[in-house]
Amino acid sequence: MIGGRGASARMALLALLWGSGFLWIKLALTGLSPVHLTLVRCALGALTLLGLAFAARQRLPRDRATWARLIVAAFFCNALPFALFGIGERTVDSGVAGVMNATTPLWALLIGVALGTERRLNPARLLGLALGFGGIVVIFAPWQQSGLLSGGALALLGAGLSYAIAFAYMARKLPADGAPLALSAAQLMTATALTALALPVASTAPHLTSTAVVAVAILGVFGTGITFYLNYRILAEEGPTAAATVGYLLPVVSVGLGALFLGEPLTPRIVGGMAIVLVAVGLTRWRAKAPAQAPAQVPAEVPVQVPANRPASSPGGLATPK
């Protein structure tokens, strides 16, 4: 068992908040366009993290180099995927969107293979890669849609790919220690500014309803801001394995909430495809054990550091800030 009751409660709460994000996106779209939804979500998430950073006495970055790198990170990790999830959920169920969020590690491994940076391949990981995209085919059943995936489905796949690109960039270019809350706040501030530039191309004007306002408020404050803080606490106190475990719960939560509150169909094909994707991601995380060495040859344990606003379970595991 990982941690005590407090850690288990935080993990359960984090899984619920992250997994429910797709439900709130669906509800927010009843009155907001994907661009407006992304703008408000990023702004509220930034304000939440700014408050947490202030309480923790963490300061925003002051050097231009970090802010320049945050532009790239904010675009691929926040502005673009947040908008793509909004576009995708206009036509695709929220539960399916949650499963597509879980494909990020598959994209990360595929990118690593294509660029030649992924050198620890084995049959299990290659099988996981093939199974993962096979699970996507099962979920969308293109043979039932004139042989092609819908535009919404492609947007959701693009969001997962965008996260994978972001994590690869952030792992190399952003500091992994120091002031994670402040750095994440800065990243969401940057994402807010980038999204504001896209407002002129927003397809529809906002039509505010109580449902949309409440949904985007919960999504921004809790689903974007508080989730990072909880993930940061779990990573610091329980380690990356516990944080990665949360990632496997997200698709289950999103599919369950979509079926319970939105009446989305819970078909054997959707459940089977989700199971295939989760098994595939587990296989892509598998690595052969290194040969046993004498105690004197084992180096001291090095703490794992995660770039700011990057879930501990990505890209090696599941889950991303949706």
Side-chain angles (χ1 to χ4, degrees):
M1 182 176 179
I2 297 173
R5 292 183 178 179
S8 298
R10 284 193 295 271
M11 290 172 63
L13 179 59
L14 179 59
L16 177 61
L17 291 178
W18 257 344
S20 66
F22 303 98
L23 169 67
W24 301 123
I25 290 173
K26 196 76 167 180
L27 293 175
L29 288 172
T30 59
L32 299 171
S33 71
V35 174
H36 292 103
L37 169 60
T38 301
L39 178 68
V40 177
R41 176 183 181 179
C42 289
L44 291 176
L47 289 173
T48 302
L49 285 172
L50 278 173
L52 292 171
F54 178 79
R57 297 184 178 181
Q58 296 182 11
R59 296 188 301 182
L60 293 175
R62 295 188 175 185
D63 59 295
R64 294 182 179 179
T66 298
W67 281 101
R69 291 166 182 165
L70 283 174
I71 293 175
V72 179
F75 177 77
F76 284 106
C77 191
N78 305 110
L80 180 59
F82 287 2
L84 288 175
F85 274 116
I87 293 171
E89 287 199 45
R90 279 180 157 180
T91 57
V92 179
D93 289 346
S94 65
V96 173
V99 178
M100 291 304 99
N101 181 71
T103 64
T104 296
L106 303 177
W107 289 114
L109 179 57
L110 191 63
I111 290 173
V113 171
L115 297 179
T117 58
E118 182 55 69
R119 304 182 184 278
R120 291 179 292 180
L121 290 178
N122 53 56
R125 300 187 76 196
L126 290 174
L127 175 61
L129 192 61
L131 273 179
F133 289 105
I136 294 172
V137 173
V138 170
I139 291 172
F140 288 115
W143 55 87
Q144 296 180 1
Q145 302 179 29
S146 302
L148 294 174
L149 293 175
S150 67
L154 293 176
L156 296 178
L157 291 174
L161 175 59
S162 182
Y163 280 141
I165 294 172
F167 297 148
Y169 178 84
M170 293 161 68
R172 291 164 175 78
K173 299 295 185 179
L174 289 182
D177 53 9
L181 294 172
L183 192 62
S184 294
Q187 183 171 314
L188 282 174
M189 290 168 59
T190 306
T192 303
L194 290 174
T195 307
L197 297 176
L199 283 177
V201 300
S203 57
T204 57
H207 176 64
L208 296 182
T209 64
S210 57
T211 298
V213 171
V214 171
V216 75
I218 294 175
L219 180 64
V221 174
F222 294 96
T224 307
I226 298 299
T227 51
F228 173 80
Y229 174 72
L230 289 174
N231 186 72
Y232 171 71
R233 285 282 304 276
I234 291 172
L235 177 65
E237 298 178 10
E238 303 298 327
T241 299
T245 300
V246 176
Y248 286 93
L249 301 175
L250 303 191
V252 179
V253 172
S254 67
V255 169
L257 292 179
L260 183 62
F261 293 103
L262 299 177
E264 296 175 351
L266 195 60
T267 65
R269 178 169 55 82
I270 298 298
V271 175
M274 178 180 66
I276 292 173
V277 169
L278 292 179
V279 169
V281 171
L283 286 172
T284 61
R285 288 173 53 83
W286 188 89
R287 288 176 172 83
K289 293 183 179 180
Q293 298 180 6
Q297 296 175 315
V298 178
E301 182 179 3
V302 178
V304 176
Q305 298 289 348
V306 177
N309 206 35
R310 169 186 169 189
S313 51
S314 301
L318 291 173
T320 55
K322 301 159 298 302

